[in-house]
Amino acid sequence: MKIAVIGTGYVGLVSGTGFADFGHEVTCVDIDPARVAALQRGEIPIYEPGLPELVHRNAKAGRLRFTTQIAEAVPGASIAMIAVGTPSADDGSADLSAVLDAARQIGAALTGFTVVVTKSTVPVGTADRVREAVGATAKHPFAVASNPEFLKEGDAVNDFLKPARVIVGAEDPRAIALMRDAYAGIMRTGDRVQVMDIRSAELTKYAANAMLATRISFMNELAQLAEVVGADIESVRKGIGSDPRIGAKFLFAGAGFGGSCFPKDLRALLHTARSHDVALGVVDAVERANERQKRVLGERVLAHFGGRLDGRRVAVWGLAFKPETDDIRESPALVLVDQLRAAGARVAGYDPAAAANVRAALGTDAIDLASEPYACATGADALVLVTEWHELRHPDFARLKSSMRTPVLFDGRNVWSSTEARSAGFAYYGIGRP
Ligand code: NAD
């Protein structure tokens, strides 16, 4: 089957390549000519483990192409999939301008019956607007469908090729059949496609992110209580996570969640609820708890040094919003860097993949980026771990002790051994630990 994927970011590139790997003929479109030119040369514009191999294999086999032109990709395609960004607008709603722009261009490029599928995360009711936008320019029949994506950056290839489930919101029987065909590659172990009405599919995506974010904010709030009452949130986490009704995942207290999805999707969900006069008290609290949590590490550093950091150098390990990605959108590390700088500190930073994005976002004056973690910590008055990349989880404390100016560690993810750190001569602060 021929599939056009519009938008070649984290979701579009992974899913387009995944569909090609299932044997389909895929053309990926992006409005950014530099991104398309890079992909045509075989360069992968994002850091995503396993993706380069998959792109190269499918491009070489002739199943995966890249273009800037929707008008080139859509003619003859059975499915045109929209995977462009839906960032927050000023009022917290999802900005649908790129989605609707793509829909209009798809409409104009149709040459026969096509399913226009929204993979981007979009508020309930967006399919109606997509139908209208495609219909405004279409001269051929089409159906709309919703197919929200649940991949996680850092493990996106695996998630796409072996999903827990695929959600398809569609009412047209031809659309349902074509979507099942598109995902035939994952059906060997059983039917993982759940077909439902379009509005339920759209809401399912927001419900999933809101539930996951709720678990994190819940643990972050409990971590504050644990600190005050002298309990260890790590023991509490293990204690509740072993209950199968609760489960162990997404229960880590830390420096708050960031990324391109949870914060903006919570805002958009709250906006949708408000505009229908429905109170989502839990979701609202989750967002507020996270805004507070993102400042906890910085406040702790300031408190340790008596409220000001003039003349201090603070090293930050991990700048991406989570390990195994170069994505820094709404990363808690950026909030920390701002807090430290505002208090007078000079900030040094290290991240295995996100340095270029940090440089582009903050410029070269705001932060001294190091190419190696121990160089980053040299001469520092404090070291803060924000993003727990594997290579940062078991540091050589003796080496750090001999190169730092003041031996203070702030473990924003509770991954270091407080006993080891203290016996190496460090003051150690975790999150929710005595
Ligand atoms: P992204 O910013 O990485 O990629 C979007 C791409 O779309 C960019 O390359 C941009 O140049 C391109 N684009 C914008 N307007 C275009 C247009 N009119 N025509 C063609 N290309 C256009 O975004 P992303 O992280 O891939 O997210 C895309 C959507 O998927 C969002 O709605 C997001 O919420 C959702 N989502 C993201 C993730 C994730 O982990 N990143 C997971 C699930 C769902």
Side-chain angles (χ1 to χ4, degrees), residues 9-11 30-31 84 86 101 120-121 149 153 261 264 329:
Y10 291 88
V11 166
D30 204 282
I31 205 169
V84 299
T86 48
D101 184 42
S120 302
T121 303
E149 181 52 57
E153 287 174 23
C261 291
K264 89 168 166 56
R329 288 178 278 187

Side-chain angles (χ1 to χ4, degrees), residues 88-173:
S88 279
D90 289 343
D91 61 358
S93 64
D95 178 351
L96 296 177
S97 52
V99 169
L100 299 176
D101 184 42
R104 279 186 289 272
Q105 290 188 56
I106 291 169
L110 294 181
T111 52
F113 178 79
T114 305
V115 191
V116 181
V117 180
T118 305
K119 188 169 262 312
S120 302
T121 303
V122 293
V124 176
T126 300
D128 295 336
R129 299 180 64 186
V130 169
R131 186 182 291 112
E132 210 174 281
V134 177
T137 51
K139 293 194 173 59
H140 294 271
F142 68 93
V144 295
S146 161
N147 174 218
E149 181 52 57
F150 295 89
L151 60 77
K152 327 179 261 310
E153 287 174 23
D155 201 18
V157 169
N158 231 352
D159 284 343
F160 189 84
L161 298 180
K162 295 176 189 157
R165 59 15 189 136
V166 170
I167 300 292
V168 172
E171 278 116 38
D172 183 301

Side-chain angles (χ1 to χ4, degrees), residues 78-382:
S78 303
I79 292 175
M81 194 166 274
I82 301 173
V84 299
T86 48
S88 279
D90 289 343
D91 61 358
S93 64
D95 178 351
L96 296 177
S97 52
V99 169
L100 299 176
D101 184 42
R104 279 186 289 272
Q105 290 188 56
I106 291 169
L110 294 181
T111 52
F113 178 79
T114 305
V115 191
V116 181
V117 180
T118 305
K119 188 169 262 312
S120 302
T121 303
V122 293
V124 176
T126 300
D128 295 336
R129 299 180 64 186
V130 169
R131 186 182 291 112
E132 210 174 281
V134 177
T137 51
K139 293 194 173 59
H140 294 271
F142 68 93
V144 295
S146 161
N147 174 218
E149 181 52 57
F150 295 89
L151 60 77
K152 327 179 261 310
E153 287 174 23
D155 201 18
V157 169
N158 231 352
D159 284 343
F160 189 84
L161 298 180
K162 295 176 189 157
R165 59 15 189 136
V166 170
I167 300 292
V168 172
E171 278 116 38
D172 183 301
R174 289 167 300 177
I176 296 170
L178 282 166
M179 288 303 286
R180 283 192 177 282
D181 273 1
Y183 281 103
I186 58 151
M187 300 292 201
R188 197 150 177 262
T189 49
D191 187 352
R192 273 178 277 177
V193 175
Q194 294 182 26
V195 179
M196 56 181 75
D197 67 275
I198 293 178
R199 285 177 174 243
S200 300
E202 290 170 333
L203 186 55
T204 297
K205 174 64 193 175
Y206 285 98
N209 278 357
M211 174 60 86
L212 295 171
T214 300
R215 290 169 67 92
I216 299 172
S217 276
F218 174 80
M219 291 306 286
N220 284 337
E221 283 201 328
L222 275 191
Q224 286 179 29
L225 182 62
E227 271 174 29
V228 176
V229 299
D232 186 342
I233 196 68
E234 282 302 294
S235 303
V236 176
R237 173 180 69 76
K238 288 177 196 145
I240 64 171
S242 48
D243 183 333
R245 291 171 304 177
I246 296 174
K249 293 185 176 164
F250 275 79
L251 278 189
F252 292 91
F257 58 76
S260 61
C261 291
F262 285 6
K264 89 168 166 56
D265 292 350
L266 290 190
R267 287 192 290 268
L269 181 58
L270 286 167
H271 184 275
T272 301
R274 267 197 310 274
S275 59
H276 289 85
D277 284 328
V278 174
L280 291 185
V282 173
V283 181
D284 191 44
V286 167
E287 199 204 12
R288 279 184 287 116
N290 194 54
E291 286 310 307
R292 272 199 308 280
Q293 193 68 21
K294 285 195 287 189
R295 304 192 63 80
V296 161
L297 266 179
E299 284 162 6
R300 197 149 295 178
V301 179
L302 258 79
H304 177 87
F305 290 102
R308 283 299 304 172
L309 297 170
D310 303 286
R312 303 278 182 187
R313 183 175 177 83
V314 180
V316 179
W317 277 6
L319 302 164
F321 86 91
K322 67 173 179 180
E324 300 297 331
T325 182
D326 60 350
D327 197 343
I328 59 164
R329 288 178 278 187
E330 302 209 32
S331 172
L334 301 186
V335 176
L336 173 71
V337 170
D338 269 358
Q339 277 172 294
L340 298 174
R341 294 184 66 221
R346 183 75 215 159
V347 181
Y350 169 73
D351 190 281
N357 285 339
V358 171
R359 198 172 292 117
L362 301 186
T364 43
D365 289 343
I367 181 166
D368 298 331
L369 289 165
S371 56
E372 191 274 318
Y374 292 92
C376 170
T378 299
D381 294 289

Side-chain angles (χ1 to χ4, degrees), residues 61-74:
R63 291 190 295 265
L64 183 61
R65 288 187 199 83
F66 301 97
T67 174
T68 53
Q69 301 303 316
I70 288 181
E72 259 175 42
V74 168

